[in-house]
């Protein structure tokens, strides 16, 4: 069981994405609303997701191409000269890049928040595409965290992120077989907002239809449906229906 809170320098939870997909890892942590950092490593790549009170508040990456400055240059929000000058200043002042951009008059607080939120989401969605990599969770709050924070619901991130997961067949295999019957659970998630198609799929789970029928419900393609049903399962909104046990008495 995960503790309620408390800083720690040692990972509390360790696994590999090849064994446990990211949605299931996030659900386990979210269940206890534990503040902390999920770190994912794949070769030289390192990405971190910062959690607090059941929300994703920040994410970082060591990939230069995903950094805030590079994203702003690619999007035409900064010229190369402005970017180079901002890097020179933050090297001298050791301030955050976002703070430097605001002090230079190149961005407002509102514009920076929007850009940082987009950056965090971009880092998140790429992590859902990873099929391998070491994952650790270290509880505790980072007092030196970036001053711009977001509040992305973990369940909502999972529902969106599964659409980026590359192998729908592997996800279906985690659900069961083609004939597995699913039923709704009594769980309700406050921070989850379903689209019309997602709600239709959830409503179609009635304890009678096999998985093969559920994933073929139009208008979405079977692969899209499979990913959404996997998200529902990871979020514990649906579960395999237990077979009815029948006792047969034999007269002696």
């Amino acid at each position: 069981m995960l503790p309620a809170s408390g800083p720690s320098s040692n990972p509390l939870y360790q696994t590999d994405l090849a064994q446990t997909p990211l949605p299931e890892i996030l659900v386990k942590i979210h269940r206890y609303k534990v503040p902390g950092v999920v770190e994912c490593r794949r070769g030289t790549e390192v990405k971190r997701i910062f959690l607090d009170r059941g929300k994703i508040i920040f994410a970082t990456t060591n990939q230069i191409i995903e950094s805030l400055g590079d994203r702003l240059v690619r999007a035409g929000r900064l010229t190369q000269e402005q970017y180079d000058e901002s890097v020179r200043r933050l090297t001298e002042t050791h301030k955050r890049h976002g703070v430097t951009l605001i002090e230079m008059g190149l961005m407002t607080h509102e514009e920076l928040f929007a850009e940082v939120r987009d950056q965090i989401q971009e880092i998140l969605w790429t992590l859902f595409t990873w099929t391998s990599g070491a994952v650790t969770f270290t509880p505790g709050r980072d007092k030196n965290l970036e001053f711009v924070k977001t509040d992305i619901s973990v369940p909502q991130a999972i529902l969106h992120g599964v659409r980026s997961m590359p192998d729908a067949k592997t996800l279906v295999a985690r659900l069961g077989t083609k004939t597995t019957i699913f039923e709704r659970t009594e769980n309700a998630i406050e921070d989850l907002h379903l689209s019309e198609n997602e709600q239709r799929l959830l409503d179609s789970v009635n304890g009678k239809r096999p998985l093969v029928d559920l994933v073929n419900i139009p208008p979405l393609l079977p692969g899209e449906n499979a990913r959404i049903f996997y998200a529902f399962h990871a979020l514990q909104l649906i579960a395999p229906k237990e077979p009815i046990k029948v006792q047969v008495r034999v007269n002696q």
Side-chain angles (χ1 to χ4, degrees), residues 159 194 198 201-202 228-238:
L159 187 59
L194 303 181
E198 291 163 348
L201 289 176
L202 185 58
I228 294 172
F229 277 118
Y230 169 72
F232 290 160
H233 184 253
L235 291 167
Q236 301 176 358
L237 294 174
I238 63 174

Side-chain angles (χ1 to χ4, degrees), residues 16-19 42 127-133 166-167:
D16 192 284
L17 291 172
Q19 298 175 344
R42 185 180 64 177
L127 271 175
F128 279 92
T129 68
W130 287 21
T131 56
S132 64
D167 192 352

Side-chain angles (χ1 to χ4, degrees), residues 9 23 68 75 77 115 124 141 146 149 160 162 193 195 243:
S9 58
L68 177 63
R77 291 284 286 106
E115 292 291 346
L124 278 175
R141 290 184 174 89
E146 180 74 50
K149 299 178 182 179
H160 183 95
V162 294
H193 305 286
S195 68

Side-chain angles (χ1 to χ4, degrees), residues 58-145:
F58 203 68
T60 62
T61 174
N62 69 344
Q63 301 300 293
I64 297 299
I65 195 172
E66 295 177 312
S67 67
L68 177 63
D70 272 51
R71 292 184 74 260
L72 293 175
V73 171
R74 289 199 307 273
R77 291 284 286 106
L78 293 180
T79 66
Q80 188 61 48
E81 291 73 19
Q82 290 172 328
Y83 172 74
D84 292 341
E85 175 61 19
S86 68
V87 171
R88 186 190 67 78
R89 294 193 186 190
L90 68 89
T91 301
E92 292 179 350
T93 63
H94 302 291
K95 294 181 179 180
R96 299 285 189 178
H97 202 173
V99 175
T100 301
L101 293 174
I102 291 176
E103 291 180 347
M104 291 175 65
L106 299 175
M107 301 188 74
T108 64
H109 283 277
E110 292 74 16
E111 290 170 336
L112 177 62
F113 179 84
E115 292 291 346
V116 170
R117 184 180 178 89
D118 288 347
Q119 180 196 22
I120 291 172
Q121 291 179 339
E122 184 177 286
I123 294 170
L124 278 175
W125 308 151
T126 58
L127 271 175
F128 279 92
T129 68
W130 287 21
T131 56
S132 64
V135 180
T136 60
F137 173 71
T138 305
R141 290 184 174 89
D142 188 345
K143 297 179 180 179
N144 299 314
L145 193 61

Side-chain angles (χ1 to χ4, degrees), residues 23 26-27 30 54-56 117 121 124-125 128 151-163 189-196 198 231-232 235 237:
L26 292 177
V27 166
H30 178 70
K55 303 283 187 178
I56 295 171
R117 184 180 178 89
Q121 291 179 339
L124 278 175
W125 308 151
F128 279 92
D151 58 348
I152 303 172
S153 160
V154 170
Q156 204 68 44
I158 290 171
L159 187 59
H160 183 95
V162 294
R163 298 179 183 275
I189 302 176
E190 295 180 359
D191 294 333
L192 187 66
H193 305 286
L194 303 181
S195 68
E196 182 178 342
E198 291 163 348
F232 290 160
L235 291 167
L237 294 174

Side-chain angles (χ1 to χ4, degrees), residues 158-188:
I158 290 171
L159 187 59
H160 183 95
V162 294
R163 298 179 183 275
S164 305
M165 298 183 76
D167 192 352
K169 291 183 178 179
T170 299
L171 299 182
V172 169
R174 296 187 72 85
L175 294 176
T177 67
K178 292 181 179 181
T179 59
T180 300
I181 305 294
F182 277 90
E183 60 185 355
R184 295 279 294 273
T185 67
E186 297 181 356
N187 294 335

